[in-house]
Amino acid sequence: MNRYLLPLSVLGTAVGGAVLLRDYIAGGACPSKATIPGKTVIVTGANTGIGKQTALELARRGGNIILACRDMEKCEAAAKEIRGETLNHRVSAWHLDLASLKSIREFAAKIIEEEEQVHILVNNAAVMRCPHWTTKDGFEMQFGVNHLGHFLLTNLLLDKLKASAPSRIINLSSLAHIAGHIDFDDLNWEKRKYDTKAAYCQSKLAVILFTKELSRRLQGTGVTVNALHPGVARTELGRHTGMHSSAFSSFTLGFIWRDTWVAQWLNVCPGP
């Protein structure tokens, strides 16, 4: 029996450590019970992962939710699922390709024309560590989608957001921004060997800088701007890294969405 004691102790320690790690990086559960009836919310990249869970939670809280996605088949399926689970019929699927400036302009124009107000814009969609692809307008894909696409979308909707004040802009960044460096002489990685990790960090740093400057410019308008690191979750975002297919990461991380960051703005978002 004694010969099994050490291996079992090591195994137990490893399993316990993995569970504690998972709980730590998951963060706490959102304590807020705030509801948002009558509030119009746009969530980009809402057909899967964190975006979908965000849309689901906000639909539960009574909002008019617009899922803005590139893949309309998946977007329609997600909207249908959310409507069924929440019994909130005010959940709709709209086409938005953040890798196309034309698509962004068309989406914004439709929002301005058809929506009376926009109270919350959640810039969630992102691509991480993809090959050296470019957007339809020639920008490096990660910088183009993660920063430039949302930059244009936000600015096109600013007047609507101001007119709907008090309103909120939420930009999803990442702790990866700490390792970011913006090379203004080579934003599209045309002069250097492409580094998927560095390109991702650059895009997330750009999101932070954009958030800080936009927040400064919008002081006194009733529109607040915040950026956040959403934590670690097993989503399709990591499909280019292989991490999501790892048995260890699947067990350790799981799908650990906790609507913690939703609370960050729910706790300050005004009532209807």
Side-chain angles (χ1 to χ4, degrees), residues 196-262:
T196 61
K197 186 184 299 184
Y200 179 73
C201 293
Q202 173 183 254
S203 73
K204 290 303 183 177
L205 175 58
V207 171
I208 294 290
L209 297 177
F210 169 50
T211 301
K212 289 176 68 69
E213 177 59 21
L214 185 60
S215 178
R216 185 186 68 81
R217 295 189 182 195
L218 291 178
Q219 288 182 8
T221 66
V223 182
T224 61
V225 192
N226 291 279
L228 60 103
H229 167 62
V232 181
R234 187 183 62 182
T235 71
E236 293 181 12
L237 181 65
R239 61 187 176 276
H240 297 296
T241 67
M243 184 177 69
H244 71 297
S245 60
S246 162
F248 175 77
S249 63
S250 295
F251 171 75
T252 305
L253 304 181
F255 186 77
I256 57 174
W257 163 262
R258 304 283 195 275
D259 52 336
T260 309
W261 76 263
V262 178

Side-chain angles (χ1 to χ4, degrees), residues 132 186-195 198-199 202:
H132 194 186
D186 191 20
L187 290 173
N188 292 314
W189 293 82
E190 297 169 332
K191 303 174 184 177
R192 299 166 287 163
K193 181 180 179 181
Y194 189 62
D195 184 325
Q202 173 183 254

Side-chain angles (χ1 to χ4, degrees), residues 97-205:
D97 183 357
L98 287 162
S100 166
L101 300 183
K102 179 175 181 291
S103 175
I104 296 168
R105 293 184 185 280
E106 290 175 347
F107 174 85
K110 184 179 178 183
I111 288 289
I112 292 169
E113 179 181 354
E114 298 185 12
E115 295 297 322
E116 184 176 346
Q117 293 182 309
V118 174
H119 301 95
I120 303 165
L121 171 61
V122 183
N123 289 322
N124 162 79
V127 60
M128 182 173 76
R129 300 188 64 180
C130 61
H132 194 186
W133 297 336
T134 58
T135 68
K136 294 178 180 179
D137 304 282
F139 300 111
E140 185 271 321
M141 185 64 75
Q142 296 185 82
F143 193 74
V145 170
N146 300 353
H147 171 55
L148 294 179
H150 285 130
F151 176 93
L152 177 60
L153 175 63
T154 301
N155 278 282
L156 290 174
L157 294 178
L158 267 186
D159 287 342
K160 179 70 74 173
L161 285 158
K162 290 178 182 177
S164 308
S167 53
R168 304 285 181 264
I169 299 170
I170 309 293
N171 296 325
L172 268 74
S173 184
S174 167
L175 281 180
H177 82 274
I178 295 173
H181 169 74
I182 298 180
D183 187 338
F184 290 98
D185 294 323
D186 191 20
L187 290 173
N188 292 314
W189 293 82
E190 297 169 332
K191 303 174 184 177
R192 299 166 287 163
K193 181 180 179 181
Y194 189 62
D195 184 325
T196 61
K197 186 184 299 184
Y200 179 73
C201 293
Q202 173 183 254
S203 73
K204 290 303 183 177
L205 175 58

